[in-house]
Amino acid sequence: MTPLIDVVAGARPNFMKIAPILRALDARRAQGVPLARRLVHTGQHYDARMSGDFFAQLGIPEPDVNFEVGSGTQAEQTGAIMVRYEALLAERRSDLCLVVGDVTSTMACAITAQKTGVPVAHVEGGIRSGDWTMPEEINRMATDAVTNWFFTTSAAANDNLRRAGVGDERIFFVGNTMIDTLLATRDRLRAPAFFGELGLEPGGYFVLTLHRPSNVDASGTFAKLLGAIGEATRGMPVIFPVHPRTAKTLREIPGLPAGLRLVEPQPYLEFNWLVKHARAVITDSGGITEETTVMGVPCLTLRDTTERPETITIGTNELIGTDPARLKPALDRLFAGEWKKGAIPEKWDGKAAERIVAALETLLVRR
């Protein structure tokens, strides 16, 4: 009997991670390997800019199932996903639940699967920031606590799992599927329509992304951070795709820095074109630091911790912290040409999904 793998995605960070896995699974099935997959979209991100655009641009097929959970608190979303996934497994049980990343959908489906006796594989298992105030950190820890097999992106993640008592036979160091997607699409990246309209030039602007509650939920804190960014970037344009949660607080800030250019959340191809041609990226995201590392673009992370230390020890990223006063000295070094060059971490070569599917064959077909 052909094993059935549920591939779970629910939010924007998941979509670029599942795209190469789906392609690799479909390619092996076309070659006669008995592996079936069911694409489960929880609907955690439901706005077209946060979901639909990514499916179209990355060639992700229509989901086999869409729970359409929509908005709500984390508890509301978690509960709705768990109830609907439990019903799906009761209707047709899968042989493996494959979850990616660290969003609410990841944790909810992993726990539900394990409680119904379906084993769990976690892509990006083992990464840790050590910051329990981050919802994503709780999601990672809860997911890994019920995971059978871990597909990891770095030696640091492997070490985290070993310290937690996970045996090497359960850890598969495969690389980074986010980078699979980046390398597969690099020839299709394209400038957004506003690039010419705003008179921008390659290397002549910054990209800014902010969405962490500690940075954007309080208007006073947010205003100080934006003021420091405006001063430290020396009047250069700062392109700011505004996350939905961020837009609410922005409306409470009376005056914004002159160089700030607010734009809608960008589709994948346009956003990464902007990153590739930016002078630098200022962010509080984790995934973007991986993409800047591979593209060789300087990156400043406005957080006190990171779950991706290899982007700092090997890549182009630096952890600046959340104190606005630390921005200017860092950007002064950038303008002086003193930013580190960086290198690409091991196995971030565009072949992670192939390694994952090879491991799945061993686990599910040739056991």
Side-chain angles (χ1 to χ4, degrees):
M1 190 169 174
T2 300
L4 175 63
I5 300 169
D6 280 339
V7 179
V8 176
R12 177 171 173 153
N14 291 163
F15 304 139
M16 59 278 274
K17 297 169 188 175
I18 65 163
I21 297 171
L22 293 171
R23 281 196 302 273
L25 280 169
D26 290 347
R28 291 300 285 154
R29 185 169 174 82
Q31 292 165 1
V33 175
L35 281 177
R37 52 99 176 145
R38 178 169 62 184
L39 177 54
V40 179
H41 187 353
T42 68
Q44 181 183 335
H45 277 175
Y46 50 91
D47 185 288
R49 293 167 301 174
M50 305 295 282
S51 174
D53 287 345
F54 276 63
F55 273 61
Q57 290 195 346
L58 302 182
I60 302 172
E62 282 296 309
D64 297 289
V65 183
N66 191 332
F67 296 156
E68 298 180 339
V69 297
S71 62
T73 66
Q74 292 189 42
E76 289 168 340
Q77 285 189 327
T78 300
I81 293 167
M82 293 177 97
V83 167
R84 293 173 201 186
Y85 190 42
E86 182 181 56
L88 177 65
L89 291 175
E91 179 185 320
R92 186 187 176 192
R93 181 188 175 89
S94 61
D95 297 283
L96 179 72
C97 173
L98 183 81
V99 294
V100 300
D102 52 23
V103 300
T104 299
S105 302
T106 307
M107 174 192 66
C109 288
I111 292 173
T112 303
Q114 200 61 264
K115 282 192 171 186
T116 55
V118 173
V120 174
H122 185 196
V123 176
E124 277 195 358
I127 66 174
R128 296 287 186 273
S129 70
D131 181 358
W132 283 30
T133 67
M134 292 176 60
E136 296 91 343
E137 184 74 353
I138 306 304
N139 293 342
R140 293 175 200 123
M141 296 175 69
T143 300
D144 283 351
V146 298
T147 289
N148 299 82
W149 299 297
F150 302 84
F151 296 118
T152 61
T153 60
S154 69
N158 300 339
D159 291 340
N160 289 335
L161 292 170
R162 291 184 186 114
R163 279 194 293 271
V166 177
D168 283 346
E169 73 281 359
R170 296 168 57 198
I171 300 171
F172 298 85
F173 179 24
V174 295
N176 192 330
T177 59
M178 280 259 294
I179 303 308
D180 286 14
T181 292
L182 179 64
L183 296 179
T185 57
R186 58 187 165 185
D187 294 334
R188 293 195 292 121
L189 301 181
R190 61 198 186 200
F194 65 75
F195 192 81
E197 296 167 7
L198 294 179
L200 302 173
E201 295 181 359
Y205 62 92
F206 289 83
V207 169
L208 172 67
T209 77
L210 294 172
H211 72 282
R212 301 279 172 199
S214 59
N215 284 332
V216 306
D217 279 6
S219 59
T221 300
F222 195 12
K224 288 179 183 175
L225 196 53
L226 291 177
I229 290 168
E231 178 188 357
T233 51
R234 303 185 182 183
M236 288 180 66
V238 178
I239 308 306
F240 186 9
V242 180
H243 189 283
R245 74 169 296 126
T246 309
K248 199 187 310 180
T249 317
L250 269 176
R251 289 192 286 270
E252 302 171 10
I253 298 176
L256 297 175
L260 203 63
R261 305 286 186 267
L262 306 183
V263 299
E264 295 288 327
Q266 295 298 297
Y268 181 84
L269 299 178
E270 286 82 354
F271 179 76
N272 276 297
W273 191 95
L274 284 171
V275 168
K276 181 179 179 180
H277 294 92
R279 181 72 175 266
V281 172
I282 304 169
T283 187
D284 60 10
S285 169
I288 290 170
T289 69
E290 297 174 318
E291 293 163 331
T292 53
T293 281
V294 170
M295 289 191 274
V297 176
C299 184
L300 297 81
T301 296
L302 302 181
R303 287 167 51 186
D304 296 315
T305 61
T306 180
E307 63 282 358
R308 294 168 170 87
E310 63 276 10
T311 66
I312 296 170
T313 57
I314 299 171
T316 56
N317 182 31
E318 283 197 19
L319 204 62
I320 303 302
T322 54
D323 180 357
R326 295 182 60 183
L327 258 170
K328 187 175 185 302
L331 282 172
D332 284 348
R333 285 191 287 109
L334 175 77
F335 282 114
E338 296 170 358
W339 204 263
K340 59 184 177 180
K341 295 298 181 188
I344 298 175
E346 182 183 1
K347 293 189 180 180
W348 290 22
D349 57 3
K351 299 177 181 177
E354 295 173 17
R355 296 185 188 105
I356 289 170
V357 172
L360 293 175
E361 287 183 44
T362 299
L363 293 169
L364 299 176
V365 179
R366 300 172 188 163
R367 56 187 173 183

